[in-house]
């Protein structure tokens, strides 16, 4: 593995470790998303705790955390396998952040950002999938899980050489949603429109 590859993997993890949900919550004087609501430091929980503006900021920053290191690696013409490792490192940083006690989110937005260099077609299909599922069910987690499951299929028809890397990312995201899957089965998962009381 080249020095550039190692550098980008490390940079991706360190940038991914910047928890935008915690930072934005502090800026907007919101409850700590790791302790309140769903206790997940992500855009959906911030939406419930603080509304649209902070949630959008968290979403955009989380996407950028995945996009920037992968795009830079792509620009450096690093091999596909390295691009996959860089994407995974960014998601690992988000889920297990070095600066925030290794307690992070599910990395859906970060993984989405990491997939953007593959093409806008893939991004459009994933967003469309998420929107349709959320519109029909109200469950953001189900939309994310469905889009994640279909991402390798979409990738295969767009740029098949990236399919193994996308499969790796998809498996990680599904594993991070294992508790959501259990709640969905038990019909205990809150919809995106429900606000949880800010109590421990």
């Amino acid at each position: 593995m080249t020095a550039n590859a190692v550098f980008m993997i490390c940079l991706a993890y360190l940038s991914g470790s910047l928890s935008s949900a915690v930072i934005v919550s502090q800026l907007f004087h919101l409850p700590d998303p790791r302790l309140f609501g769903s206790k997940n430091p992500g855009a959906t929980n911030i939406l419930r705790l603080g509304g649209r503006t902070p949630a959008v900021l968290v979403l955009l920053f989380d996407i950028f955390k995945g996009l920037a290191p992968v795009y830079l690696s792509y620009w450096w013409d690093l091999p596909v396998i390295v691009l996959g490792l860089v994407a995974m490192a960014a998601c690992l940083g988000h889920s297990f952040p070095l600066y925030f006690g290794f307690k992070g989110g599910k990395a859906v937005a970060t993984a989405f950002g990491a997939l953007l260099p593959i093409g806008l077609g893939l991004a459009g299909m994933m967003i469309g999938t998420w929107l349709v599922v959320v519109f029909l069910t109200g469950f953001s987690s189900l939309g994310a899980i469905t889009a994640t499951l279909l991402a390798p299929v979409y990738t295969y028809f767009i740029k098949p050489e990236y399919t193994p890397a996308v499969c790796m990312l998809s498996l990680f995201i599904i594993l991070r949603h294992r508790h959501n899957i259990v709640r969905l089965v038990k019909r205990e998962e809150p919809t995106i429109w429900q606000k949880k009381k800010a109590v421990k």
Side-chain angles (χ1 to χ4, degrees):
M1 188 175 291
T2 66
N4 283 347
V6 174
F7 172 76
M8 287 310 307
I9 291 171
C10 293
L11 180 64
Y13 174 75
L14 293 175
S15 63
S17 291
L18 292 169
S19 179
S20 58
V22 176
I23 296 171
V24 169
S25 293
Q26 292 174 349
L27 291 174
F28 281 79
H29 306 290
L30 300 175
D32 190 329
R34 297 168 297 179
L35 302 175
F36 298 93
S38 66
K39 298 182 180 180
N40 175 60
T44 301
N45 196 28
I46 294 298
L47 176 65
R48 297 191 187 106
L49 295 174
R52 294 179 183 177
T53 299
V56 169
L57 291 175
V58 170
L59 178 64
L60 292 176
F61 189 81
D62 284 348
I63 290 173
F64 182 76
K65 289 192 306 185
L67 170 63
V70 173
Y71 185 79
L72 183 56
S73 300
Y74 181 83
W75 182 73
W76 271 353
D77 201 27
L78 295 177
V80 172
I81 185 62
V82 174
L83 296 181
L85 292 174
V86 169
M88 276 298 302
C91 291
L92 284 169
H94 180 87
S95 295
F96 307 102
L98 177 66
Y99 321 118
F100 296 92
F102 300 99
K103 296 180 180 179
K106 296 181 173 66
V108 174
T110 303
F112 175 76
L115 295 177
L116 280 177
I118 294 178
L120 294 179
L122 175 61
M125 287 188 285
M126 292 186 66
I127 292 173
T129 301
W130 183 84
L131 287 173
V132 168
V133 174
V134 172
F135 177 77
L136 293 176
T137 69
F139 297 115
S140 177
S141 59
L142 183 59
I145 292 167
T146 304
T148 299
L149 286 172
L150 291 175
V153 179
Y154 296 152
T155 304
Y156 179 79
F157 288 103
I158 297 172
K159 290 186 179 178
E161 66 271 23
Y162 290 98
T163 304
V166 175
C167 285
M168 181 170 60
L169 270 180
S170 295
L171 177 61
F172 177 76
I173 298 301
I174 294 300
L175 288 174
R176 292 293 293 165
H177 278 80
R178 60 191 182 280
H179 298 304
N180 299 86
I181 294 172
V182 171
R183 289 196 296 269
L184 284 166
V185 171
K186 292 182 177 180
R187 297 185 179 182
E188 297 174 352
E189 182 80 342
T191 68
I192 195 172
W193 312 120
Q194 289 175 294
K195 281 195 175 184
K196 290 192 172 185
K197 293 181 180 180
V199 294
K200 291 184 179 178

